[in-house]
Amino acid sequence: MPEINEDSKMRSPWLNRFSIAGKSVRELFRIVAMLVLLVPFGVFLYLLYEKGDLSSLWHESNSILLVGLGFIVVLAVLAILQGIFNKLTDLASMMSRATGGDLSVHEFSEETQELHEISRAFRKLLGRYDDTSKELAQLTQLFMAMKELGEAASRKLDVASLFNMLLDRAMQVTRAQIGSIFLIDPDRKTFRILGARGIEIDTDEIQIKDSVVARVATEKRPLLVTDIETDPLVQRHNNPKYGSPSFLSMPVMLNDELLGVINLAHKQNGAVFHEGDVGTLTTMINQVHFAIENAYVHETVRQHARSLGEKTVQLNQEIAKRKLAERELKELALYDKLTGLVNRHHFVGLLGQAMAQSRRNHKKLAVLFIDLDRFKVINDSMGHDVGDLMLQEVARRIRESLRAEDIVARYGGDEFTCVLMDIGIETDIVTVVDKLIAELSRPFLLQWREQFIGSSIGISVYEDQGANGEHAEELVKNADAAMYKAKESGGNCYRFYNPAIGDAITHRLQMEVDLRHAINANEFVLHYQPQVDLRSGQLSGIEALLRWQHPEQGLLNPDSFIPLAEKTGLIVPIGRWVLNEACGRYKQWLDQELVPPTTSLNAAVNISGQQFRQGDFVQMVAEVLEKSGLPPRMLELEITESVVMDAAENAVEVLNALKEMGVRLAIDDFGNGFSSLGYLKHFPIDTLKIDKVFTHQLPGDRNDAAIVRAILELARSLGMRVVAEGVENVEQLGFLRDQGCNEAQGYLLGHPVAADELLRLIHDADVQQSWRELLNAAAEDGKA
């Protein structure tokens, strides 16, 4: 037995006290453990009492689990501490016995060995505590993530935000350094990238078949790779820049349908994913299942809302368009779009209201009907755009010349109507009309050039007795009739309506009806006047002249109906008929050898200004020649000088086209228009026809004689043939022959005759002899 000294005996009471204290601590640990176990149960009972039922308690499940988990950890710590104190107490008892002499050396050695084992157990317990702490931290993160994902359903997140939240929480719980999440497109062939962490992805879409998640997308189950080197598929698609040693890919499903894929990866070697991570990620995806479903529902609702919003915008736009269209239709129904003035229909209604007001107030009013002179020439020669600018300027000038209470309208085309309210005496009307004529006579600056027009104004006055018409339409019609009288007086003037004018208008309207009927009834005929060569006395040409065989009035000369045809536009179809008839008849004579095939006779046909300005005039002439078969060289088109000069630039183009076709060209009534010798040299003209106003008083009138000589000299210098019209006596014939005129026509040489009579003249030797005798007589008279 070892020897025990006194110091050991003196310390034994302290060891005894420590042993007693150890036992007390063990009892205290038992009490605390019981309390720890009772606290969660008490919390559960309290929450059940507060919530009232278990279903309400479900919403606090995350909190209960966290509290329970915390107490479990506390119990584990207390158990470890209790074990430690138990060993310490036993150690204290052992040392007490040793100092008291109760233990042998062998027993003490055994106790010491046991103490070493206790120390190793204590270190092992500390390791387990560290692992438990890490697991507790991971579980805490998991439960926090589950709580946040569970609450996501109530936050109405969109799909992209929800998937990005899932990615962030998954990386946090699994401690992954690389993550990405993809949403499958409706075509089921591509993935759309919703988010990426720790990696850069250069494209917004990737093909499923070319991606590492192809297996996941196809099999719809997780893909866990602990070592990329062992998986060729993942190794082939892995980005070597990041060197990820471990990889986890999970499908995100909704009702057995693949929505997307979430990918996680580690960067550090040794950091790998385990089956537990698969379970954790599966739990998180299941937790967010309801939120995903809600997100898709909300996305659908948002899409419908956007669609509804777009449809609402479209509907509002359509309503706005319809309102605008209605306003435009109303404006079109009431106002002229070009000038902004009242239109024809609205004007008649306003005039009716003005007439009613005039009757109530016993006042006069006047209706003005304004037609622009020479507007058509400018519109045809310079284009409709320029014509529209002129009409706008005319509207402005008229509006500014009248009072605010007066009514101004564009009645149609180049016609304007006005109502002058509260007229006192007729001189007041004259003052206003004179002002209008002066304003419209001022030059218009169009395309940096000054253009001039005039205006013809008809006036009808309304009084409460209704002398000039009781209805608005009648009052306008009377003003229109007076305007035509102003036109006939030379234009740029005004005329008041009177009943005599009404009779003339009635006659004109009936003539217009008859003229339209004449076209369809084939009432027109052609007469032909011979043209004689002043050197040989032979027939050199014939001019086709139009006549109207009126069923009631008999044979009418063109002077009685051509002006009306030009005003109504009927001159165009009439002119086409004349050209067809003349070419067809002349070709028929050639075919029947009634005219020698080698003859140099020309068939001359007059062309109106409206015909010449038609855009298809050249084409129409070509069609007539082709239909008739007449050689173009035997057709001569006579165009008045004023028509050519009104649109000189365009006329050159048309005349050149006709000349290239082979048609001969003549300027009719030369010297009686607005001559411009500078332009004349550019025209491909073959013949000049001297107007009868210059031959009528030859040779006695010195001025006419000088003009004729000048025309003949001009024609010779330009290589043109000259035909003198209106030759009625031998003196005129002798003067023209002596001055070198090529040909002549007139009553002295022959009146216009029907086709049969012309054929007789062509073959009548006596007629040709009489022409030669007239020329000889003219020569003898000239010598005398």
Side-chain angles (χ1 to χ4, degrees):
M1 294 293 294
E3 187 175 327
I4 300 175
N5 56 32
E6 292 297 327
D7 293 335
S8 298
K9 291 181 178 181
M10 291 179 63
R11 286 194 295 269
S12 60
W14 178 83
L15 292 173
N16 291 333
R17 286 194 297 270
F18 182 79
S19 177
I20 295 170
K23 295 178 180 179
S24 300
V25 169
R26 282 200 299 271
E27 295 299 327
L28 179 62
F29 281 160
R30 292 191 183 95
I31 295 171
V32 172
M34 292 298 296
L35 291 176
V36 168
L37 291 173
L38 289 175
V39 168
F41 183 71
V43 172
F44 175 78
L45 292 178
Y46 171 75
L47 291 175
L48 181 61
Y49 173 77
E50 287 292 327
K51 300 298 179 180
D53 55 15
L54 291 174
S55 61
S56 301
L57 191 61
W58 172 254
H59 297 289
E60 305 295 335
S61 59
N62 290 330
S63 299
I64 294 173
L65 290 173
L66 289 174
V67 171
L69 181 63
F71 279 112
I72 290 171
V73 173
V74 171
L75 283 175
V77 173
L78 288 175
I80 293 170
L81 293 177
Q82 184 178 2
I84 294 170
F85 275 106
N86 286 338
K87 293 299 180 180
L88 290 175
T89 303
D90 293 340
L91 178 62
S93 298
M94 180 191 68
M95 293 178 66
S96 176
R97 290 196 304 272
T99 55
D102 295 334
L103 293 176
S104 64
V105 174
H106 177 71
E107 289 175 335
F108 184 78
S109 176
E110 289 179 353
E111 291 295 338
T112 303
Q113 183 65 32
E114 185 177 358
L115 182 60
H116 286 299
E117 292 177 0
I118 291 172
S119 176
R120 284 196 297 272
F122 180 70
R123 286 195 297 271
K124 185 176 181 181
L125 285 174
L126 288 178
R128 290 174 58 189
Y129 173 74
D130 185 56
D131 293 340
T132 304
S133 299
K134 291 180 181 179
E135 291 177 2
L136 174 62
Q138 188 172 5
L139 286 173
T140 302
Q141 290 179 349
L142 174 61
F143 280 110
M144 292 301 294
M146 295 286 286
K147 184 175 184 297
E148 186 175 357
L149 293 174
E151 293 173 351
S154 61
R155 294 170 59 185
K156 298 180 181 180
L157 297 176
D158 58 85
V159 175
S161 299
L162 185 60
F163 274 43
N164 275 281
M165 177 189 290
L166 177 60
L167 174 63
D168 290 335
R169 298 301 168 263
M171 292 181 65
Q172 183 180 2
V173 172
T174 62
R175 294 183 175 85
Q177 291 85 33
I178 299 174
S180 58
I181 192 161
F182 304 86
L183 184 68
I184 193 167
D185 277 344
D187 60 5
R188 320 299 293 183
K189 295 181 180 179
T190 58
F191 276 124
R192 180 162 55 93
I193 300 170
L194 295 183
R197 310 289 187 271
I199 187 173
E200 293 182 1
I201 302 177
D202 298 331
T203 180
D204 294 332
E205 290 185 354
I206 59 173
Q207 295 291 325
I208 292 178
K209 64 180 181 179
D210 297 332
S211 65
V212 70
V213 294
R215 187 189 305 173
V216 178
T218 304
E219 299 178 1
K220 298 181 181 179
R221 63 179 184 177
L223 172 63
L224 175 61
V225 179
T226 57
D227 187 359
I228 289 178
E229 297 297 331
T230 64
D231 194 307
L233 173 66
V234 180
Q235 185 180 15
R236 184 170 65 252
H237 291 284
N238 183 47
N239 190 338
K241 176 180 178 181
Y242 298 100
S244 302
S246 184
F247 183 83
L248 175 60
S249 180
M250 289 286 295
V252 180
M253 308 289 294
L254 179 63
N255 300 327
D256 296 328
E257 182 179 355
L258 179 68
L259 299 181
V261 173
I262 181 170
N263 297 328
L264 301 176
H266 287 300
K267 283 186 178 182
Q268 296 87 357
N269 291 326
V272 296
F273 294 104
H274 303 283
E275 290 295 337
D277 295 319
V278 175
T280 298
L281 201 52
T282 302
T283 303
M284 295 178 68
I285 292 175
N286 291 336
Q287 176 71 5
V288 82
H289 180 279
F290 183 66
I292 292 175
E293 191 171 18
N294 277 358
Y296 273 94
V297 171
H298 292 313
E299 183 68 24
T300 303
V301 171
R302 279 192 289 268
Q303 289 178 356
H304 284 299
R306 283 194 299 269
S307 177
L308 181 61
E310 291 173 357
K311 290 180 179 179
T312 302
V313 172
Q314 292 176 358
L315 181 60
N316 291 335
Q317 292 175 348
E318 186 65 27
I319 292 173
K321 288 180 181 178
R322 290 189 178 184
K323 288 182 177 180
L324 179 61
E326 290 174 359
R327 185 165 61 251
E328 290 178 350
L329 286 175
K330 183 177 180 181
E331 291 177 355
L332 289 175
L334 302 178
Y335 297 93
D336 174 59
K337 187 175 182 179
L338 177 64
T339 63
L341 298 177
V342 171
N343 64 16
R344 177 175 185 167
H345 175 75
H346 194 30
F347 174 78
V348 173
L350 293 176
L351 176 57
Q353 298 174 14
M355 292 170 68
Q357 180 181 341
S358 179
R359 284 194 298 270
R360 289 193 301 269
N361 299 334
H362 302 287
K363 295 282 188 177
K364 295 180 182 181
L365 62 80
V367 175
L368 309 183
F369 201 104
I370 306 171
D371 185 84
L372 303 180
D373 302 332
R374 297 188 73 251
F375 172 76
K376 185 170 180 58
V377 174
I378 294 175
N379 193 50
D380 292 343
S381 62
M382 302 187 68
H384 294 292
D385 292 341
V386 175
D388 289 346
L389 291 175
M390 175 171 278
L391 290 175
Q392 291 173 341
E393 177 62 16
V394 167
R396 186 190 66 80
R397 293 187 186 185
I398 294 175
R399 179 72 271 175
E400 292 179 355
S401 299
L402 303 181
R403 299 167 300 177
E405 62 268 24
D406 296 331
I407 303 171
V408 183
R410 184 187 178 197
Y411 203 69
D414 60 342
E415 297 175 336
F416 295 83
T417 50
C418 308
V419 177
L420 306 183
M421 302 292 295
D422 299 335
I423 298 299
I425 56 177
E426 289 189 356
T427 54
D428 296 336
I429 303 174
V430 173
T431 301
V432 175
V433 172
D434 284 339
K435 182 179 179 181
L436 283 173
I437 291 176
E439 282 294 316
L440 299 179
S441 297
R442 291 193 297 108
F444 291 82
L445 186 61
L446 303 173
Q447 292 186 343
W448 307 105
R449 294 169 57 186
E450 288 187 344
Q451 299 291 340
F452 293 87
I453 62 171
S455 58
S456 299
I457 302 178
I459 309 166
S460 62
V461 180
Y462 175 76
E463 303 180 68
D464 53 3
Q465 295 88 359
N468 290 333
E470 298 181 358
H471 304 289
E473 293 85 354
E474 187 177 2
L475 205 60
V476 175
K477 183 186 72 173
N478 293 339
D480 186 17
M483 182 273 295
Y484 272 103
K485 294 301 292 184
K487 284 278 188 186
E488 293 173 0
S489 300
N492 208 36
C493 61
Y494 64 89
R495 291 292 182 270
F496 280 89
Y497 172 79
N498 59 62
I501 292 177
D503 295 339
I505 294 300
T506 301
H507 174 71
R508 184 180 69 83
L509 292 175
Q510 184 59 48
M511 283 290 289
E512 182 179 342
V513 173
D514 293 345
L515 191 59
R516 293 181 184 277
H517 177 74
I519 297 174
N520 298 323
N522 198 25
E523 294 176 357
F524 295 110
V525 295
L526 289 183
H527 282 198
Y528 303 89
Q529 188 173 27
Q531 297 173 344
V532 179
D533 188 291
L534 297 185
R535 291 286 175 247
S536 65
Q538 299 292 322
L539 183 67
S540 59
I542 54 176
E543 181 179 2
L545 300 170
L546 182 63
R547 299 291 185 267
W548 180 10
Q549 189 64 52
H550 194 281
E552 297 177 358
Q553 302 179 39
L555 191 65
L556 300 179
N557 288 327
D559 292 343
S560 62
F561 64 88
I562 288 298
L564 178 61
E566 290 179 341
K567 290 179 181 178
T568 57
L570 295 173
I571 191 63
V572 174
I574 292 174
R576 186 184 184 98
W577 180 89
V578 170
L579 192 60
N580 269 306
E581 177 68 15
C583 292
R585 181 62 61 90
Y586 199 40
K587 182 61 167 63
Q588 181 183 358
W589 292 342
L590 291 172
D591 292 343
Q592 296 175 358
E593 297 184 354
L594 298 176
V595 176
T598 58
T599 184
S600 59
L601 290 177
N602 296 316
V605 179
N606 289 282
I607 300 298
S608 72
Q610 290 190 40
Q611 276 184 286
F612 187 77
R613 287 188 288 268
Q614 291 289 313
D616 61 345
F617 176 66
V618 175
Q619 181 181 354
M620 186 267 290
V621 173
E623 290 174 355
V624 169
L625 288 172
E626 181 180 3
K627 179 181 178 181
S628 65
L630 181 69
R633 62 181 175 79
M634 290 187 173
L635 174 64
E636 184 171 77
L637 300 180
E638 296 186 3
I639 306 164
T640 61
E641 181 185 9
S642 59
V643 170
V644 174
M645 297 310 302
D646 281 338
E649 294 180 0
N650 185 58
V652 171
E653 182 179 348
V654 174
L655 294 175
N656 284 329
L658 293 171
K659 192 65 178 176
E660 290 177 3
M661 196 185 302
V663 176
R664 296 179 61 83
L665 301 172
I667 297 293
D668 196 14
D669 301 335
F670 185 76
N672 196 28
F674 304 94
S675 301
S676 175
L677 302 182
Y679 270 112
L680 185 61
K681 68 180 181 179
H682 298 295
F683 295 152
I685 302 300
D686 300 292
T687 305
L688 293 181
K689 298 191 72 174
I690 302 175
D691 191 80
K692 59 186 177 181
V693 298
F694 299 115
T695 61
H696 181 63
Q697 297 185 25
L698 289 178
D701 191 295
R702 296 173 58 185
N703 293 330
D704 288 344
I707 292 173
V708 170
R709 290 192 189 98
I711 293 174
L712 292 171
E713 183 62 30
L714 174 65
R716 278 192 293 270
S717 65
L718 295 176
M720 297 178 183
R721 166 173 159 261
V722 180
V723 178
E725 297 181 307
V727 178
E728 298 179 356
N729 56 58
V730 175
E731 290 79 8
Q732 296 170 348
L733 189 65
F735 178 83
L736 292 168
R737 181 186 180 189
D738 292 343
Q739 298 301 319
C741 185
N742 303 104
E743 301 169 25
Q745 70 182 83
Y747 291 163
L748 177 66
L749 301 172
H751 289 262
V753 294
D756 295 340
E757 181 65 17
L758 177 69
L759 291 176
R760 187 189 68 80
L761 292 177
I762 292 176
H763 298 286
D764 192 336
D766 293 338
V767 172
Q768 296 181 20
Q769 180 61 33
S770 67
W771 288 339
R772 287 192 292 271
E773 290 175 357
L774 284 173
L775 289 173
N776 291 333
E780 292 297 329
D781 184 71
K783 294 178 181 179

